[in-house]
Amino acid sequence: MLEHFKPVDQTAIEERCARIRTRSIKKGAKIEGLKMALGMIDLTTLEGKDTPGKVTQLCYKATHLHDELPNLPHVAAVCVYPTFVEQAVSLLKGSGVKVASVATGFPAGQTSREVKLADVKMAVDAGADEVDMVISRGEFLKGNHQFVFNEIAAVKETCGDARLKVILETGELGTLDNVAKASQIAIQAGADFIKTSTGKIKPAATMEVTLVMLEVIRDHYFETGRMVGMKPAGGISNAKLALHYLVMVKEILGEAWLDNHWFRFGASSLANDLILQLMKQETGVYQSGNYIALD
Amino acid sequence: MGNQTNWNWDPAPESTDHVKIKEQYQLFIGGRFVKPANGEYFETVNPANEKVLAKVALADAADVDKAVKAARKAYSNVWSKMSGAERGKYIFRLARLIQERAREFAVIESLDGGKPIRESRDVDIPLVSAHFFYHAGWADKLEYAFPNKKPSPIGVVGQIIPWNFPLLMAAWKIAPALACGNTVVLKPAESTPLTALKLAEVIKDAGFPDGVVNIVTGDGGTGEAIVNHPGIDKIAFTGSTEVGKKIIRATAGTNKKLTLELGGKAANIVFEDAALDQAVDGIVEGIYFNQGHVCCAGSRLFVQEGIAEKLFRRLKHRINQLIVGDPLDKNTDIGAINSKGQLKTIQAYIKQGKKEGLEMFQPEIALPKKGYWCAPTLFFDVAQSSVLAKEEIFGPVLAIQTFRTVDEVIAKANNTPYGLSAGVWTDKGSKVFNLTSQLKAGVVWANTYNKFDPTSPFGGYKESGFGREGGVHGLEAYLNLN
């Protein structure tokens, strides 16, 4: 089953992305798109220097994106290391914002199966709604697809009710053919979401990589009727680019995926640009960044 | 969790404020805009709303004669005597002016012809200026292009162009002719004369010597007058095979040289090892680009049986995403059918397909009430003997067949009186080379479709015509090589 992989043509993928970028989203559709993107953000902090203070601020921002603008959604989730899950869960209780935790030796994943599963267990026990795992890129590039499959399946089992996002770290996979392959393996092993990147490697998410992953998701849906979510992460820092991604989701998967249950942006600075653009739509002029809170 | 559905996009129309279309256009002869001898004018309409855009002069034989004489005078006195480097300067200047006024050209092209602004802006007009730039560079290097020969111009060239790529076809004709030292009498198509007339204004602005390019608008009679004029040394025609055959008869026994670029019924072949989603994009680009008004359109799709069902599902899904409507909207994928007459032709073929009992697919979309529209259409399991597979429809209608083996598909692909273009989709390089050497088509695209470049020669086999346009080969058509 794992040996039948989907060929991908890079040049044509680039052309399709360029074509998607020519879509012109204006007026009401733009406002709607900007708000939709805001509600799809996994607000993220994944740094060695993270502290409870930083996580508190992030969680507050998650539900108070910009109180001066009425009718803004809250973000989809807050994404933190396992050590901060318990805190985030208690801060976000009842808010509707999910708590996602990275795990499995994020970001490199260079540790044993036991340690990875313990990492996942720690996050889930602390109340994480979602787990963002990394695949073993070394094993994948060695051709050991079965290892990658088994690892994802084991993590999925450990997740229990938590939804599993599988990070392919496409910046380390080298080709779009590999991106398609890794996506197929992840989905067949039980991923609820496939995700491009950790944010620690460049390039992170690109439209080309995302397009390939969306096409694999659609293939799986056509074959089995099961929907899988998509999360491009890293490198999507402005509103215009976010709208291009939403256009892509609409055209490749359809409007059923235009929902934060099925599509997320892994981003930290995107939210402020979306807010800036929404303020521009409201007032007709651009505001200084100082009017929008950091965090 | 917001349940977001129906994210419909607002209209995003390209502005027309920067465009001026006159009420009435004259003929461009000898560097001046002159009234037609008989005082007759015809209307050109916007196919998206059926409104008249302008009245355009109808040239008769007397006007054509005047244009040929002006071209002859410019040829003998100025253009053929000028050094290649000097000619090149004029053509470079024209290329730059077209670039500067690209938005204006793009909007007029979409208004007059119905093609989406995305195409006129991103494909047609950039290729027009690229074509002039490319040929300007050849003007002083012709002796290097043909070593050991003495290239010299042919003389006065009569050029007749179609309505599907109005300005681009004008560029394909005018640029090599001028670079090689010829002068031109060009007739734009009856339904799309406006960008050629705008080009006349730009040619004037560029300071070309009077009479080097003459543009005579009109109908079939005007074209006939050009073909039959004894003062013309060469005819270059792009259009239907039917008219092409008439031109061959008319020029037989004369000294006129002739190049023809005619119809096509290209095979677009998808093998089971192809990158499926990209093949789907290419199929769509191949048949729905410019509403299918493309002589090299991939109008016969051959799908290997093993992947047929998978591919059809993806193709339908893709077609459901296409936006059909206002050509000036930046999000429009498929614009208006060029003319009422062409719409009738296409509708007759669709009716025929239904009569044959073929399975048909069209997306469920509301077409605008006014104007000429046709939804993108698929016909499945079309027989090789059906008219849908045999005749050029020149519209957004795809005839689909399945195949089993390589030999079978090559035989069927070549089983047509045409031979302009073909497409091959496979992940395997050796298969590509096998196919490109066996398909009888002037252009074979591998894992892409409808790509054009001025450096690459374009032209057909069999009833798709003879002579090449573009590249070094294209220069040959405008030179005497002794």
Coordinates of all heavy atoms in Angstrom, one line a residue, chain B residues 4-78:
Chain B
Q4 N -18.0 28.2 8.1 CA -17.9 29.1 7.0 C -18.2 28.4 5.7 O -17.5 27.4 5.4 CB -16.4 29.7 6.9 CG -16.0 30.4 8.2 CD -16.6 31.8 8.2 OE1 -17.3 32.2 7.2 NE2 -16.3 32.6 9.2
T5 N -19.2 28.8 5.0 CA -19.4 28.3 3.7 C -19.7 29.4 2.7 O -19.9 30.5 3.2 CB -20.6 27.3 3.7 OG1 -21.7 27.8 4.3 CG2 -20.2 26.0 4.3
N6 N -19.8 29.1 1.4 CA -20.1 30.1 0.4 C -19.3 31.4 0.5 O -19.8 32.4 0.7 CB -21.6 30.5 0.5 CG -22.5 29.3 0.1 OD1 -22.1 28.6 -0.8 ND2 -23.6 29.2 0.7
W7 N -18.0 31.2 0.4 CA -17.1 32.3 0.3 C -17.1 32.8 -1.1 O -16.2 32.4 -1.9 CB -15.7 32.0 0.9 CG -14.8 33.1 0.9 CD1 -15.1 34.4 1.3 CD2 -13.4 33.1 0.6 NE1 -14.0 35.2 1.3 CE2 -12.9 34.4 0.9 CE3 -12.5 32.1 0.2 CZ2 -11.6 34.8 0.7 CZ3 -11.2 32.5 0.0 CH2 -10.7 33.8 0.2
N8 N -18.1 33.6 -1.5 CA -18.2 34.1 -2.9 C -17.4 35.4 -3.0 O -17.5 36.2 -2.2 CB -19.6 34.2 -3.3 CG -20.3 32.9 -3.3 OD1 -19.7 31.9 -3.7 ND2 -21.6 32.9 -2.9
W9 N -16.7 35.5 -4.1 CA -15.9 36.7 -4.3 C -16.7 37.8 -5.0 O -17.5 37.6 -5.9 CB -14.7 36.3 -5.2 CG -13.9 35.2 -4.5 CD1 -13.8 35.0 -3.2 CD2 -13.1 34.2 -5.1 NE1 -13.0 33.9 -2.9 CE2 -12.6 33.4 -4.1 CE3 -12.8 33.9 -6.5 CZ2 -11.7 32.3 -4.4 CZ3 -12.0 32.9 -6.7 CH2 -11.5 32.1 -5.7
D10 N -16.4 39.0 -4.5 CA -17.1 40.2 -5.2 C -16.4 40.4 -6.5 O -15.3 40.0 -6.8 CB -16.8 41.4 -4.3 CG -17.6 41.4 -3.0 OD1 -17.1 40.7 -2.0 OD2 -18.7 41.9 -3.0
P11 N -17.2 41.1 -7.4 CA -16.6 41.4 -8.7 C -15.3 42.2 -8.5 O -15.2 43.1 -7.6 CB -17.7 42.3 -9.4 CG -19.0 42.0 -8.7 CD -18.6 41.6 -7.3
A12 N -14.4 42.0 -9.4 CA -13.1 42.7 -9.4 C -12.8 43.2 -10.8 O -11.9 42.7 -11.4 CB -12.0 41.8 -8.8
P13 N -13.6 44.1 -11.3 CA -13.4 44.5 -12.7 C -12.2 45.4 -12.9 O -11.9 46.2 -12.1 CB -14.7 45.3 -13.0 CG -15.2 45.8 -11.7 CD -14.7 44.8 -10.6
E14 N -11.5 45.1 -14.0 CA -10.4 46.0 -14.4 C -11.0 47.3 -14.8 O -12.0 47.4 -15.5 CB -9.7 45.3 -15.6 CG -8.6 46.1 -16.3 CD -7.4 46.3 -15.4 OE1 -6.9 45.3 -14.8 OE2 -6.8 47.4 -15.4
S15 N -10.3 48.4 -14.5 CA -10.8 49.7 -14.8 C -10.7 50.0 -16.3 O -9.8 49.5 -17.0 CB -10.0 50.8 -14.0 OG -10.0 52.0 -14.7
T16 N -11.7 50.7 -16.9 CA -11.6 51.1 -18.3 C -11.4 52.6 -18.5 O -11.4 53.1 -19.6 CB -12.9 50.7 -19.0 OG1 -14.0 51.3 -18.3 CG2 -13.1 49.2 -19.0
D17 N -11.1 53.3 -17.4 CA -10.9 54.7 -17.4 C -9.8 55.2 -18.3 O -9.8 56.2 -18.9 CB -10.7 55.3 -16.0 CG -11.8 55.0 -15.1 OD1 -12.9 54.6 -15.6 OD2 -11.7 55.2 -13.9
H18 N -8.8 54.3 -18.4 CA -7.6 54.7 -19.2 C -7.7 54.4 -20.7 O -6.8 54.6 -21.4 CB -6.3 54.0 -18.6 CG -6.4 52.5 -18.7 ND1 -7.3 51.8 -17.9 CD2 -5.8 51.6 -19.4 CE1 -7.2 50.6 -18.2 NE2 -6.3 50.4 -19.1
V19 N -8.9 53.9 -21.1 CA -9.0 53.5 -22.5 C -10.0 54.4 -23.2 O -11.1 54.7 -22.7 CB -9.6 52.1 -22.5 CG1 -10.0 51.7 -23.9 CG2 -8.6 51.1 -21.9
K20 N -9.5 54.8 -24.4 CA -10.4 55.6 -25.3 C -10.7 54.8 -26.5 O -9.8 54.5 -27.3 CB -9.7 57.0 -25.6 CG -10.0 58.0 -24.6 CD -9.8 59.4 -25.2 CE -9.6 60.4 -24.1 NZ -8.2 60.7 -23.7
I21 N -12.0 54.6 -26.8 CA -12.3 54.0 -28.0 C -13.1 55.0 -28.8 O -14.1 55.6 -28.3 CB -13.2 52.7 -27.8 CG1 -12.3 51.6 -27.1 CG2 -13.7 52.1 -29.1 CD1 -13.0 50.4 -26.8
K22 N -12.7 55.2 -30.1 CA -13.3 56.3 -30.9 C -14.7 55.7 -31.4 O -14.9 54.5 -31.4 CB -12.4 56.6 -32.1 CG -11.1 57.3 -31.7 CD -10.4 57.6 -33.0 CE -8.9 57.7 -32.8 NZ -8.2 57.6 -34.1
E23 N -15.5 56.7 -31.8 CA -16.8 56.2 -32.4 C -16.6 55.6 -33.8 O -17.3 54.7 -34.1 CB -17.7 57.4 -32.6 CG -18.6 57.7 -31.4 CD -19.4 58.9 -31.5 OE1 -19.9 59.2 -32.6 OE2 -19.5 59.7 -30.5
Q24 N -15.6 56.1 -34.5 CA -15.4 55.6 -35.8 C -13.9 55.5 -36.1 O -13.1 56.4 -35.8 CB -16.0 56.6 -36.8 CG -16.1 56.2 -38.2 CD -17.0 57.1 -39.0 OE1 -18.2 57.1 -38.7 NE2 -16.5 57.8 -39.9
Y25 N -13.5 54.4 -36.8 CA -12.1 54.2 -37.2 C -12.0 54.2 -38.7 O -12.8 53.6 -39.4 CB -11.6 52.9 -36.6 CG -11.3 53.0 -35.1 CD1 -12.3 52.7 -34.2 CD2 -10.0 53.4 -34.6 CE1 -12.0 52.8 -32.8 CE2 -9.8 53.5 -33.3 CZ -10.8 53.2 -32.4 OH -10.5 53.3 -31.0
Q26 N -10.8 54.8 -39.1 CA -10.5 54.8 -40.6 C -9.5 53.8 -40.9 O -9.0 53.1 -40.0 CB -10.0 56.2 -40.9 CG -10.8 57.4 -40.4 CD -12.3 57.4 -40.9 OE1 -12.7 56.7 -41.8 NE2 -13.1 58.1 -40.2
L27 N -9.1 53.7 -42.2 CA -8.1 52.8 -42.6 C -6.7 53.5 -42.4 O -6.6 54.7 -42.4 CB -8.2 52.5 -44.1 CG -9.6 52.0 -44.5 CD1 -9.8 52.0 -46.0 CD2 -9.9 50.6 -44.0
F28 N -5.7 52.7 -42.2 CA -4.4 53.2 -42.0 C -3.5 52.9 -43.2 O -3.1 51.8 -43.4 CB -3.7 52.6 -40.7 CG -2.4 53.1 -40.3 CD1 -2.2 54.5 -40.1 CD2 -1.3 52.3 -40.3 CE1 -0.9 55.0 -39.7 CE2 0.0 52.8 -39.9 CZ 0.1 54.1 -39.7
I29 N -3.4 53.9 -44.0 CA -2.7 53.7 -45.3 C -1.7 54.9 -45.5 O -2.0 56.0 -45.4 CB -3.7 53.7 -46.5 CG1 -4.7 52.6 -46.4 CG2 -3.0 53.7 -47.8 CD1 -5.8 52.5 -47.4
G30 N -0.4 54.5 -45.9 CA 0.6 55.5 -46.1 C 0.9 56.4 -44.9 O 1.2 57.6 -45.1
G31 N 0.7 55.9 -43.7 CA 1.0 56.6 -42.6 C -0.1 57.6 -42.1 O 0.1 58.4 -41.2
R32 N -1.2 57.5 -42.8 CA -2.4 58.4 -42.4 C -3.6 57.6 -42.2 O -3.8 56.5 -42.8 CB -2.6 59.4 -43.6 CG -1.5 60.5 -43.6 CD -1.5 61.4 -44.8 NE -2.9 61.9 -45.1 CZ -3.5 61.6 -46.3 NH1 -2.9 60.9 -47.2 NH2 -4.7 62.1 -46.5
F33 N -4.5 58.2 -41.4 CA -5.8 57.5 -41.3 C -6.8 58.1 -42.3 O -7.0 59.3 -42.3 CB -6.4 57.7 -39.9 CG -5.6 57.0 -38.8 CD1 -4.5 57.5 -38.1 CD2 -5.8 55.6 -38.6 CE1 -3.8 56.8 -37.2 CE2 -5.1 54.9 -37.7 CZ -4.0 55.5 -37.0
V34 N -7.2 57.2 -43.2 CA -8.0 57.7 -44.4 C -9.4 57.0 -44.4 O -9.5 55.9 -44.1 CB -7.3 57.5 -45.7 CG1 -6.0 58.3 -45.7 CG2 -7.0 56.1 -45.9
K35 N -10.3 57.8 -45.0 CA -11.7 57.2 -45.1 C -11.7 56.2 -46.2 O -11.0 56.3 -47.2 CB -12.7 58.4 -45.5 CG -12.8 59.3 -44.3 CD -14.0 60.2 -44.5 CE -14.3 60.9 -43.2 NZ -14.6 62.3 -43.3
P36 N -12.6 55.2 -46.1 CA -12.7 54.2 -47.2 C -13.3 54.8 -48.4 O -14.1 55.7 -48.3 CB -13.6 53.1 -46.6 CG -14.4 53.9 -45.5 CD -13.5 55.0 -45.0
A37 N -12.9 54.3 -49.6 CA -13.3 54.9 -50.9 C -14.8 54.8 -51.0 O -15.4 55.8 -51.5 CB -12.6 54.1 -52.0
N38 N -15.4 53.8 -50.6 CA -16.9 53.6 -50.8 C -17.7 54.3 -49.6 O -18.9 54.2 -49.6 CB -17.3 52.2 -51.0 CG -16.8 51.3 -49.8 OD1 -16.4 51.9 -48.7 ND2 -16.8 50.0 -49.9
G39 N -17.0 54.8 -48.6 CA -17.7 55.4 -47.5 C -18.4 54.4 -46.6 O -19.2 54.8 -45.8
E40 N -18.1 53.1 -46.7 CA -18.8 52.1 -45.9 C -18.1 51.8 -44.6 O -16.9 51.7 -44.6 CB -19.0 50.9 -46.7 CG -20.2 50.9 -47.6 CD -20.4 49.5 -48.3 OE1 -20.6 48.5 -47.5 OE2 -20.4 49.5 -49.5
Y41 N -18.9 51.6 -43.6 CA -18.4 51.2 -42.3 C -19.1 50.0 -41.7 O -20.3 49.8 -42.1 CB -18.5 52.4 -41.3 CG -17.6 53.5 -41.6 CD1 -18.0 54.5 -42.6 CD2 -16.4 53.7 -41.0 CE1 -17.2 55.5 -43.0 CE2 -15.5 54.7 -41.4 CZ -16.0 55.6 -42.4 OH -15.1 56.7 -42.7
F42 N -18.5 49.2 -40.9 CA -19.2 48.1 -40.2 C -19.0 48.2 -38.7 O -18.1 49.0 -38.2 CB -18.7 46.7 -40.7 CG -17.2 46.5 -40.4 CD1 -16.9 45.7 -39.3 CD2 -16.2 46.9 -41.3 CE1 -15.5 45.4 -39.0 CE2 -14.9 46.6 -41.0 CZ -14.6 45.9 -39.9
E43 N -19.9 47.5 -38.0 CA -19.9 47.7 -36.5 C -19.1 46.6 -35.9 O -19.1 45.4 -36.3 CB -21.3 47.7 -36.0 CG -22.1 48.9 -36.3 CD -23.5 48.9 -35.9 OE1 -24.0 47.8 -35.6 OE2 -24.1 49.9 -35.8
T44 N -18.3 46.9 -34.8 CA -17.7 45.9 -34.0 C -18.3 45.9 -32.6 O -18.5 47.0 -32.0 CB -16.2 46.0 -34.0 OG1 -15.6 44.9 -33.2 CG2 -15.7 47.3 -33.3
V45 N -18.7 44.7 -32.2 CA -19.5 44.7 -30.9 C -18.7 44.0 -29.8 O -17.8 43.2 -30.0 CB -20.8 43.9 -31.0 CG1 -21.7 44.6 -32.1 CG2 -20.6 42.5 -31.4
N46 N -19.1 44.3 -28.6 CA -18.5 43.7 -27.4 C -19.3 42.4 -27.2 O -20.5 42.4 -26.9 CB -18.7 44.6 -26.2 CG -18.2 44.0 -24.9 OD1 -18.0 42.8 -24.8 ND2 -18.0 44.8 -23.9
P47 N -18.7 41.2 -27.4 CA -19.5 40.0 -27.3 C -20.0 39.6 -25.9 O -20.9 38.8 -25.8 CB -18.5 38.9 -27.8 CG -17.1 39.5 -27.5 CD -17.3 41.0 -27.6
A48 N -19.5 40.4 -24.9 CA -20.0 40.1 -23.5 C -21.3 40.8 -23.3 O -22.0 40.4 -22.3 CB -19.0 40.5 -22.5
N49 N -21.7 41.8 -24.0 CA -22.9 42.5 -23.8 C -23.7 42.9 -25.1 O -24.7 43.6 -25.0 CB -22.8 43.7 -22.9 CG -21.8 44.7 -23.4 OD1 -21.5 44.7 -24.6 ND2 -21.3 45.6 -22.6
E50 N -23.1 42.6 -26.2 CA -23.7 42.8 -27.5 C -23.8 44.3 -27.8 O -24.5 44.7 -28.8 CB -25.1 42.1 -27.7 CG -25.0 40.6 -27.5 CD -26.4 40.0 -27.5 OE1 -27.2 40.2 -28.4 OE2 -26.6 39.2 -26.6
K51 N -23.1 45.2 -27.1 CA -23.1 46.6 -27.4 C -22.1 46.9 -28.5 O -21.0 46.4 -28.5 CB -22.8 47.4 -26.1 CG -24.0 47.5 -25.2 CD -23.7 48.5 -24.1 CE -24.8 48.5 -23.1 NZ -24.4 48.7 -21.7
V52 N -22.5 47.9 -29.3 CA -21.6 48.3 -30.4 C -20.4 49.1 -29.7 O -20.7 50.1 -29.0 CB -22.3 49.2 -31.4 CG1 -21.3 49.7 -32.5 CG2 -23.4 48.3 -32.1
L53 N -19.2 48.8 -30.1 CA -18.1 49.5 -29.5 C -17.6 50.6 -30.4 O -17.3 51.7 -30.0 CB -16.9 48.5 -29.3 CG -17.0 47.5 -28.2 CD1 -15.9 46.4 -28.4 CD2 -16.8 48.2 -26.9
A54 N -17.7 50.4 -31.7 CA -17.2 51.4 -32.7 C -17.6 51.0 -34.1 O -18.0 49.9 -34.3 CB -15.7 51.5 -32.6
K55 N -17.6 52.0 -35.0 CA -17.8 51.7 -36.4 C -16.4 51.7 -37.0 O -15.5 52.6 -36.7 CB -18.6 52.8 -37.0 CG -20.1 52.7 -36.6 CD -21.0 53.6 -37.4 CE -22.4 53.1 -37.1 NZ -23.4 54.1 -37.6
V56 N -16.2 50.8 -37.9 CA -14.9 50.6 -38.5 C -15.0 50.6 -40.0 O -15.9 50.0 -40.6 CB -14.3 49.3 -38.0 CG1 -12.9 49.0 -38.6 CG2 -14.2 49.3 -36.5
A57 N -14.0 51.2 -40.7 CA -14.0 51.4 -42.1 C -14.0 50.0 -42.8 O -13.3 49.1 -42.4 CB -12.9 52.2 -42.6
L58 N -14.8 49.9 -43.9 CA -14.8 48.7 -44.7 C -14.0 48.9 -46.0 O -14.5 49.7 -46.8 CB -16.2 48.3 -45.0 CG -16.4 47.0 -45.8 CD1 -16.2 45.8 -45.0 CD2 -17.8 47.0 -46.5
A59 N -12.8 48.3 -46.1 CA -12.0 48.6 -47.2 C -12.5 47.7 -48.4 O -12.8 46.5 -48.2 CB -10.5 48.2 -46.9
D60 N -12.5 48.3 -49.6 CA -12.8 47.5 -50.8 C -11.5 47.4 -51.6 O -10.5 47.8 -51.2 CB -14.0 48.1 -51.6 CG -13.7 49.5 -52.2 OD1 -12.5 49.9 -52.1 OD2 -14.6 50.1 -52.6
A61 N -11.7 46.9 -52.9 CA -10.5 46.6 -53.7 C -9.7 47.9 -54.0 O -8.5 47.9 -54.0 CB -10.9 46.0 -55.0
A62 N -10.4 49.0 -54.1 CA -9.7 50.3 -54.4 C -8.9 50.7 -53.2 O -7.7 51.2 -53.3 CB -10.7 51.4 -54.7
D63 N -9.4 50.5 -52.0 CA -8.6 50.8 -50.8 C -7.4 49.9 -50.6 O -6.3 50.4 -50.3 CB -9.4 50.7 -49.5 CG -10.6 51.6 -49.5 OD1 -10.4 52.9 -49.6 OD2 -11.8 51.1 -49.4
V64 N -7.6 48.7 -50.9 CA -6.5 47.7 -50.9 C -5.4 48.1 -51.9 O -4.2 48.1 -51.6 CB -7.0 46.3 -51.1 CG1 -5.8 45.3 -51.3 CG2 -7.9 45.8 -49.9
D65 N -5.9 48.5 -53.0 CA -4.9 48.9 -54.1 C -4.1 50.1 -53.6 O -2.8 50.2 -53.8 CB -5.7 49.3 -55.4 CG -4.7 49.7 -56.5 OD1 -3.9 48.8 -56.8 OD2 -4.8 50.8 -57.0
K66 N -4.7 51.1 -52.9 CA -4.0 52.2 -52.4 C -3.0 51.8 -51.3 O -1.9 52.3 -51.3 CB -5.0 53.2 -51.7 CG -5.1 54.5 -52.3 CD -6.3 55.3 -51.9 CE -6.2 56.0 -50.5 NZ -7.5 56.6 -50.1
A67 N -3.4 50.8 -50.5 CA -2.5 50.4 -49.4 C -1.3 49.6 -50.0 O -0.2 49.8 -49.6 CB -3.3 49.4 -48.5
V68 N -1.6 48.8 -51.1 CA -0.5 48.1 -51.7 C 0.5 49.1 -52.3 O 1.7 48.9 -52.2 CB -1.0 47.1 -52.7 CG1 0.2 46.4 -53.5 CG2 -1.8 46.0 -52.0
K69 N 0.0 50.1 -52.9 CA 0.9 51.1 -53.6 C 1.7 51.8 -52.5 O 2.9 52.1 -52.7 CB 0.0 52.1 -54.4 CG -0.4 51.4 -55.7 CD -1.2 52.4 -56.6 CE -1.4 51.7 -58.0 NZ -2.8 52.0 -58.5
A70 N 1.0 52.2 -51.4 CA 1.8 52.9 -50.3 C 2.9 52.0 -49.8 O 4.0 52.4 -49.5 CB 0.8 53.2 -49.2
A71 N 2.5 50.7 -49.7 CA 3.5 49.7 -49.2 C 4.7 49.5 -50.1 O 5.9 49.5 -49.8 CB 2.9 48.4 -48.9
R72 N 4.3 49.5 -51.4 CA 5.4 49.4 -52.5 C 6.3 50.6 -52.5 O 7.5 50.4 -52.5 CB 4.7 49.2 -53.8 CG 5.7 49.1 -55.0 CD 6.6 47.9 -55.0 NE 5.8 46.7 -55.0 CZ 6.4 45.5 -54.8 NH1 7.7 45.4 -54.5 NH2 5.6 44.4 -54.8
K73 N 5.7 51.8 -52.3 CA 6.5 53.0 -52.3 C 7.5 53.0 -51.1 O 8.7 53.2 -51.3 CB 5.6 54.2 -52.3 CG 6.2 55.5 -52.6 CD 5.2 56.6 -52.7 CE 5.8 57.9 -52.3 NZ 4.8 58.9 -52.0
A74 N 6.9 52.6 -50.0 CA 7.8 52.6 -48.8 C 8.9 51.5 -48.9 O 10.0 51.7 -48.4 CB 6.9 52.3 -47.5
Y75 N 8.5 50.4 -49.5 CA 9.5 49.3 -49.7 C 10.6 49.8 -50.6 O 11.8 49.7 -50.2 CB 8.8 48.1 -50.3 CG 9.7 47.0 -50.6 CD1 10.2 46.2 -49.5 CD2 10.2 46.7 -51.9 CE1 11.1 45.1 -49.8 CE2 11.1 45.7 -52.1 CZ 11.6 44.9 -51.1 OH 12.4 43.9 -51.3
S76 N 10.3 50.3 -51.8 CA 11.3 50.7 -52.7 C 12.1 51.8 -52.3 O 13.4 51.9 -52.5 CB 10.7 51.0 -54.1 OG 9.8 49.9 -54.5
N77 N 11.5 52.8 -51.7 CA 12.2 54.1 -51.4 C 12.9 54.1 -50.1 O 14.0 54.7 -49.9 CB 11.3 55.3 -51.4 CG 10.7 55.5 -52.8 OD1 11.1 54.8 -53.8 ND2 9.7 56.3 -52.9
V78 N 12.4 53.4 -49.1 CA 12.9 53.5 -47.7 C 13.3 52.2 -47.1 O 14.5 51.9 -46.8 CB 11.9 54.2 -46.8 CG1 12.6 54.7 -45.5 CG2 11.2 55.4 -47.5

